[in-house]
């Protein structure tokens, strides 16, 4: 079936606002549309909405929240925006950046106060590039809790989520006005749904090998750690409607996935004073630059493998993450009482491990910066028992996508908005620019939650304003 149909066959049902995708972006859009007085319907291909949101750590950066104030953290949307733009090397679109950074604090407070999602701030370590502690998570620090709580909020607002509905094509006029969609059901039957406005919240193209090979060739053979159902439908539909695509090579990688267990090991193990060594026992980069660019750094080492080295104190901090507890339960986290025992467990010559760890200890004592540019000041010494996890690099999600304005309206290649099409989350271009190194922690859920909320509200306002 073509991606875009221009027929005028009847629809089985017509809804005011249709939302494709039931991840964080789609569910936040649904809540916002409902609050703006419109009954949206979410179409989700899976039997249960999960998406990459469920696989994530569920951490959302936001400035000026009630949770930050309760933890005594001073922060502002302006410094948040500055941090994002510094990491993105100035490539984030200023209009989108402004609305998502200004809207993040209110969005977290909205989810907490109105929908009962009790966010707290991660206050015991800093994420690379954030000038304030502003990562907000639910109790388990797991995305599965986030998606379950969002789904519960949507259900209790009386919003319909049609599951097992894979949207296969859009129906649009030759001028690019979306009239509806065609969804395929698990039994192979098709339903035609009309809509007055459409929100694309079906994430990016991480699950589509061909698109990854085209736009991110360096990761074409890497493990994809996101949701396999994210096949790039939003960008393919948008492109066919004449929408602009931006920063298609942008993505979030991660260089700390326990191997072969396939479990995310929090970057807290690095930021609190740990380091990465290759299988020869040598450090190979500035780990504090960020976990996104770590994917390529680790995959560039022999065998595409590295060891995260840290200690029991740091493991105690990382244990707040459900994923880290799972990694421990799976036997991915090794412990050793001495450097020599650590070397033996890692099959690395003891003199090499000792030289690496002693040089790190020396840098910490001198509050020095190493040859890779990592500043070690203020980080405590690693002390026995030592911990180690064998890790590899992976593609987590794509950050390139449909060009949008500050109201989440999808823009044509020439910059004018399409009449009634909105995009949020991984479907829209993010605020990370065209490289993995432009990704600041939390940029993924930031545009899912905040732009999702904006897209839902704006789609509802558009529909309400129509005669
Ligand atoms: C392991 C991991 C950890 C991460 N941790 C974090 C973190 O802590 N903080 C952060 O900010 N970001 C994190 N991310 C990134 C984050 O998960 C994503 O940026 C975010 O979940 C995107 O939300 P979304 O709603 O756009 O997409 P998703 O949550 O992926 O939802 C998209 C939905 O659309 C559905 N869909 C797709 N195509 C169709 C179709 N044709 N028809 C119907 N339905 C369709 C999918 O089934 C899916 O349910 C992480 C990612 C991974 C993989």
């Amino acid at each position: 079936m073509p991606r875009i149909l221009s027929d005028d066959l009847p629809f089985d049902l017509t809804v005011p606002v249709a939302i494709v995708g039931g991840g964080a972006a789609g569910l936040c859009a649904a809540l916002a549309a409902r609050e703006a007085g419109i009954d949206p319907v979410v179409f989700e291909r899976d039997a249960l909405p999960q998406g990459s949101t469920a696989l994530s750590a569920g951490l959302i950066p936001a400035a000026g929240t009630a949770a930050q104030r309760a933890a005594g953290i001073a922060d502002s949307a302006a410094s948040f925006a500055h941090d994002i733009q510094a990491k993105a090397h100035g490539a984030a679109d200023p209009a989108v950046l402004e609305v998502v950074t200004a809207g993040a604090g209110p969005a977290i407070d909205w989810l907490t106060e109105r929908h009962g999602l009790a966010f707290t701030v991660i206050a015991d370590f800093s994420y690379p590039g954030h000038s304030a502690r502003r990562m907000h998570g639910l109790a388990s620090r797991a995305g599965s809790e986030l998606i379950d709580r969002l789904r519960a909020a949507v259900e209790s607002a009386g919003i319909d989520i049609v599951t097992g509905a894979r949207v296969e094509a859009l129906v649009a006029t030759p001028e690019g006005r979306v009239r509806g969609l065609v969804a395929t059901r698990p039994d192979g039957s098709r339903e035609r749904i009309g809509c007055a406005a459409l929100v694309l919240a079906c994430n990016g193209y991480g699950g589509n090998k061909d698109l990854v090979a085209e736009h991110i060739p360096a990761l074409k053979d890497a493990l994809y750690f996101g949701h396999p159902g994210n096949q790039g439908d939003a960008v393919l539909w948008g492109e066919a409607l004449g929408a602009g695509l931006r920063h298609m090579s942008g993505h979030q990688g991660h260089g700390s996935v326990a191997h072969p267990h396939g479990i995310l090991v929090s970057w807290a193990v690095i930021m609190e004073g740990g380091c990465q060594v290759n299988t020869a026992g040598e450090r190979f980069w500035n780990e504090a630059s960020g976990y996104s660019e770590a994917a390529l750094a680790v995959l560039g080492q022999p065998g595409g493998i590295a060891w995260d080295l840290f200690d029991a104190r740091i493991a105690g901090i990382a244990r707040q993450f459900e994923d880290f507890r799972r990694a421990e339960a799976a036997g991915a986290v090794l412990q050793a009482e001495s450097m020599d025992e650590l070397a033996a467990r890692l099959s690395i010559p003891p003199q090499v491990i000792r030289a690496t760890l002693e040089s790190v200890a020396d840098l910490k004592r001198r509050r020095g910066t190493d040859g890779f540019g990592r500043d070690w000041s203020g980080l405590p010494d690693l002390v026995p028992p030592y911990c180690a996890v064998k890790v590899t690099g992976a593609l987590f999600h794509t950050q390139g996508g449909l060009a949008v304005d500050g109201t989440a309206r999808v823009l044509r290649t020439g910059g004018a908005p399409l009449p009634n099409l909105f995009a949020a989350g991984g479907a829209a271009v993010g605020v990370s620019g065209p490289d993995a190194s432009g990704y600041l922690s939390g940029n993924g859920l930031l545009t899912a939650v905040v732009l999702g909320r904006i897209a839902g509200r704006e789609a509802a306002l558009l529909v309400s304003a129509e005669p």
Side-chain angles (χ1 to χ4, degrees), residues 281-297:
E282 285 155 358
R283 288 187 55 235
F284 50 91
W285 79 301
N286 172 4
E287 306 91 336
S289 328
Y291 52 66
S292 179
E293 49 270 63
L296 276 180

PDB file of all heavy atoms in Angstrom, residues 281-297:
ATOM      1  N   GLY A 281      43.258  -3.098  29.137  1.00  0.00           N
ATOM      2  CA  GLY A 281      43.350  -2.457  30.460  1.00  0.00           C
ATOM      3  C   GLY A 281      43.665  -0.976  30.394  1.00  0.00           C
ATOM      4  O   GLY A 281      43.943  -0.346  31.413  1.00  0.00           O
ATOM      5  N   GLU A 282      43.601  -0.388  29.198  1.00  0.00           N
ATOM      6  CA  GLU A 282      43.968   1.025  29.059  1.00  0.00           C
ATOM      7  C   GLU A 282      42.750   1.907  28.827  1.00  0.00           C
ATOM      8  O   GLU A 282      41.824   1.512  28.105  1.00  0.00           O
ATOM      9  CB  GLU A 282      44.928   1.184  27.864  1.00  0.00           C
ATOM     10  CG  GLU A 282      46.306   0.686  28.211  1.00  0.00           C
ATOM     11  CD  GLU A 282      47.104   0.246  26.988  1.00  0.00           C
ATOM     12  OE1 GLU A 282      46.546   0.304  25.868  1.00  0.00           O
ATOM     13  OE2 GLU A 282      48.252  -0.171  27.186  1.00  0.00           O
ATOM     14  N   ARG A 283      42.797   3.094  29.436  1.00  0.00           N
ATOM     15  CA  ARG A 283      41.744   4.074  29.141  1.00  0.00           C
ATOM     16  C   ARG A 283      41.910   4.558  27.700  1.00  0.00           C
ATOM     17  O   ARG A 283      43.016   4.546  27.160  1.00  0.00           O
ATOM     18  CB  ARG A 283      41.809   5.248  30.123  1.00  0.00           C
ATOM     19  CG  ARG A 283      41.335   4.861  31.521  1.00  0.00           C
ATOM     20  CD  ARG A 283      41.225   6.054  32.451  1.00  0.00           C
ATOM     21  NE  ARG A 283      40.386   7.088  31.892  1.00  0.00           N
ATOM     22  CZ  ARG A 283      40.781   8.350  31.732  1.00  0.00           C
ATOM     23  NH1 ARG A 283      41.982   8.730  32.095  1.00  0.00           N
ATOM     24  NH2 ARG A 283      39.961   9.231  31.216  1.00  0.00           N
ATOM     25  N   PHE A 284      40.813   4.993  27.089  1.00  0.00           N
ATOM     26  CA  PHE A 284      40.907   5.345  25.678  1.00  0.00           C
ATOM     27  C   PHE A 284      40.178   6.629  25.312  1.00  0.00           C
ATOM     28  O   PHE A 284      40.162   7.026  24.155  1.00  0.00           O
ATOM     29  CB  PHE A 284      40.399   4.192  24.797  1.00  0.00           C
ATOM     30  CG  PHE A 284      39.048   3.653  25.217  1.00  0.00           C
ATOM     31  CD1 PHE A 284      37.877   4.167  24.686  1.00  0.00           C
ATOM     32  CD2 PHE A 284      38.967   2.640  26.169  1.00  0.00           C
ATOM     33  CE1 PHE A 284      36.643   3.671  25.083  1.00  0.00           C
ATOM     34  CE2 PHE A 284      37.719   2.144  26.576  1.00  0.00           C
ATOM     35  CZ  PHE A 284      36.569   2.655  26.031  1.00  0.00           C
ATOM     36  N   TRP A 285      39.520   7.304  26.305  1.00  0.00           N
ATOM     37  CA  TRP A 285      38.822   8.547  25.938  1.00  0.00           C
ATOM     38  C   TRP A 285      38.370   9.283  27.188  1.00  0.00           C
ATOM     39  O   TRP A 285      38.513   8.780  28.315  1.00  0.00           O
ATOM     40  CB  TRP A 285      37.667   8.237  24.999  1.00  0.00           C
ATOM     41  CG  TRP A 285      36.398   7.709  25.669  1.00  0.00           C
ATOM     42  CD1 TRP A 285      36.281   6.584  26.439  1.00  0.00           C
ATOM     43  CD2 TRP A 285      35.110   8.303  25.611  1.00  0.00           C
ATOM     44  NE1 TRP A 285      34.984   6.435  26.852  1.00  0.00           N
ATOM     45  CE2 TRP A 285      34.233   7.478  26.352  1.00  0.00           C
ATOM     46  CE3 TRP A 285      34.597   9.446  24.989  1.00  0.00           C
ATOM     47  CZ2 TRP A 285      32.873   7.762  26.504  1.00  0.00           C
ATOM     48  CZ3 TRP A 285      33.245   9.726  25.141  1.00  0.00           C
ATOM     49  CH2 TRP A 285      32.401   8.887  25.891  1.00  0.00           C
ATOM     50  N   ASN A 286      37.806  10.481  26.961  1.00  0.00           N
ATOM     51  CA  ASN A 286      37.251  11.266  28.061  1.00  0.00           C
ATOM     52  C   ASN A 286      35.814  10.813  28.311  1.00  0.00           C
ATOM     53  O   ASN A 286      34.880  11.273  27.657  1.00  0.00           O
ATOM     54  CB  ASN A 286      37.285  12.766  27.711  1.00  0.00           C
ATOM     55  CG  ASN A 286      36.536  13.611  28.744  1.00  0.00           C
ATOM     56  OD1 ASN A 286      36.057  13.095  29.764  1.00  0.00           O
ATOM     57  ND2 ASN A 286      36.436  14.900  28.480  1.00  0.00           N
ATOM     58  N   GLU A 287      35.666   9.916  29.297  1.00  0.00           N
ATOM     59  CA  GLU A 287      34.354   9.320  29.532  1.00  0.00           C
ATOM     60  C   GLU A 287      33.322  10.340  29.986  1.00  0.00           C
ATOM     61  O   GLU A 287      32.105  10.122  29.833  1.00  0.00           O
ATOM     62  CB  GLU A 287      34.441   8.235  30.621  1.00  0.00           C
ATOM     63  CG  GLU A 287      35.476   7.147  30.381  1.00  0.00           C
ATOM     64  CD  GLU A 287      36.835   7.458  30.983  1.00  0.00           C
ATOM     65  OE1 GLU A 287      37.141   8.654  31.185  1.00  0.00           O
ATOM     66  OE2 GLU A 287      37.602   6.522  31.252  1.00  0.00           O
ATOM     67  N   ALA A 288      33.794  11.461  30.562  1.00  0.00           N
ATOM     68  CA  ALA A 288      32.834  12.448  31.087  1.00  0.00           C
ATOM     69  C   ALA A 288      32.198  13.278  29.975  1.00  0.00           C
ATOM     70  O   ALA A 288      31.316  14.097  30.238  1.00  0.00           O
ATOM     71  CB  ALA A 288      33.521  13.363  32.095  1.00  0.00           C
ATOM     72  N   SER A 289      32.620  13.073  28.719  1.00  0.00           N
ATOM     73  CA  SER A 289      31.974  13.835  27.629  1.00  0.00           C
ATOM     74  C   SER A 289      30.501  13.490  27.540  1.00  0.00           C
ATOM     75  O   SER A 289      29.678  14.331  27.218  1.00  0.00           O
ATOM     76  CB  SER A 289      32.584  13.528  26.262  1.00  0.00           C
ATOM     77  OG  SER A 289      33.914  13.233  26.324  1.00  0.00           O
ATOM     78  N   GLY A 290      30.166  12.216  27.728  1.00  0.00           N
ATOM     79  CA  GLY A 290      28.749  11.840  27.658  1.00  0.00           C
ATOM     80  C   GLY A 290      28.594  10.402  27.226  1.00  0.00           C
ATOM     81  O   GLY A 290      29.470   9.841  26.571  1.00  0.00           O
ATOM     82  N   TYR A 291      27.440   9.823  27.592  1.00  0.00           N
ATOM     83  CA  TYR A 291      27.249   8.407  27.272  1.00  0.00           C
ATOM     84  C   TYR A 291      26.827   8.173  25.838  1.00  0.00           C
ATOM     85  O   TYR A 291      26.965   7.082  25.311  1.00  0.00           O
ATOM     86  CB  TYR A 291      26.275   7.736  28.227  1.00  0.00           C
ATOM     87  CG  TYR A 291      24.934   8.412  28.421  1.00  0.00           C
ATOM     88  CD1 TYR A 291      24.010   8.505  27.381  1.00  0.00           C
ATOM     89  CD2 TYR A 291      24.584   8.929  29.661  1.00  0.00           C
ATOM     90  CE1 TYR A 291      22.785   9.113  27.567  1.00  0.00           C
ATOM     91  CE2 TYR A 291      23.358   9.543  29.865  1.00  0.00           C
ATOM     92  CZ  TYR A 291      22.458   9.635  28.812  1.00  0.00           C
ATOM     93  OH  TYR A 291      21.248  10.238  28.998  1.00  0.00           O
ATOM     94  N   SER A 292      26.299   9.227  25.176  1.00  0.00           N
ATOM     95  CA  SER A 292      25.823   9.025  23.816  1.00  0.00           C
ATOM     96  C   SER A 292      26.999   8.759  22.870  1.00  0.00           C
ATOM     97  O   SER A 292      27.012   7.775  22.119  1.00  0.00           O
ATOM     98  CB  SER A 292      25.036  10.257  23.364  1.00  0.00           C
ATOM     99  OG  SER A 292      24.586  10.118  22.052  1.00  0.00           O
ATOM    100  N   GLU A 293      28.006   9.624  22.949  1.00  0.00           N
ATOM    101  CA  GLU A 293      29.182   9.431  22.097  1.00  0.00           C
ATOM    102  C   GLU A 293      30.004   8.229  22.545  1.00  0.00           C
ATOM    103  O   GLU A 293      30.880   7.757  21.823  1.00  0.00           O
ATOM    104  CB  GLU A 293      30.044  10.701  22.045  1.00  0.00           C
ATOM    105  CG  GLU A 293      30.389  11.337  23.380  1.00  0.00           C
ATOM    106  CD  GLU A 293      29.349  12.369  23.833  1.00  0.00           C
ATOM    107  OE1 GLU A 293      28.196  11.960  24.045  1.00  0.00           O
ATOM    108  OE2 GLU A 293      29.705  13.541  24.009  1.00  0.00           O
ATOM    109  N   ALA A 294      29.729   7.736  23.763  1.00  0.00           N
ATOM    110  CA  ALA A 294      30.456   6.558  24.267  1.00  0.00           C
ATOM    111  C   ALA A 294      30.222   5.336  23.387  1.00  0.00           C
ATOM    112  O   ALA A 294      31.074   4.446  23.317  1.00  0.00           O
ATOM    113  CB  ALA A 294      30.026   6.257  25.704  1.00  0.00           C
ATOM    114  N   ALA A 295      29.075   5.280  22.708  1.00  0.00           N
ATOM    115  CA  ALA A 295      28.784   4.103  21.877  1.00  0.00           C
ATOM    116  C   ALA A 295      29.888   3.909  20.851  1.00  0.00           C
ATOM    117  O   ALA A 295      30.475   2.822  20.744  1.00  0.00           O
ATOM    118  CB  ALA A 295      27.439   4.250  21.181  1.00  0.00           C
ATOM    119  N   LEU A 296      30.207   4.972  20.120  1.00  0.00           N
ATOM    120  CA  LEU A 296      31.237   4.850  19.079  1.00  0.00           C
ATOM    121  C   LEU A 296      32.618   4.670  19.690  1.00  0.00           C
ATOM    122  O   LEU A 296      33.438   3.928  19.152  1.00  0.00           O
ATOM    123  CB  LEU A 296      31.219   6.086  18.177  1.00  0.00           C
ATOM    124  CG  LEU A 296      30.198   6.035  17.041  1.00  0.00           C
ATOM    125  CD1 LEU A 296      30.261   7.304  16.204  1.00  0.00           C
ATOM    126  CD2 LEU A 296      30.423   4.806  16.149  1.00  0.00           C
ATOM    127  N   ALA A 297      32.867   5.339  20.831  1.00  0.00           N
ATOM    128  CA  ALA A 297      34.178   5.195  21.483  1.00  0.00           C
ATOM    129  C   ALA A 297      34.410   3.738  21.873  1.00  0.00           C
ATOM    130  O   ALA A 297      35.485   3.174  21.645  1.00  0.00           O
ATOM    131  CB  ALA A 297      34.258   6.108  22.709  1.00  0.00           C
TER     132      ALA A 297
END
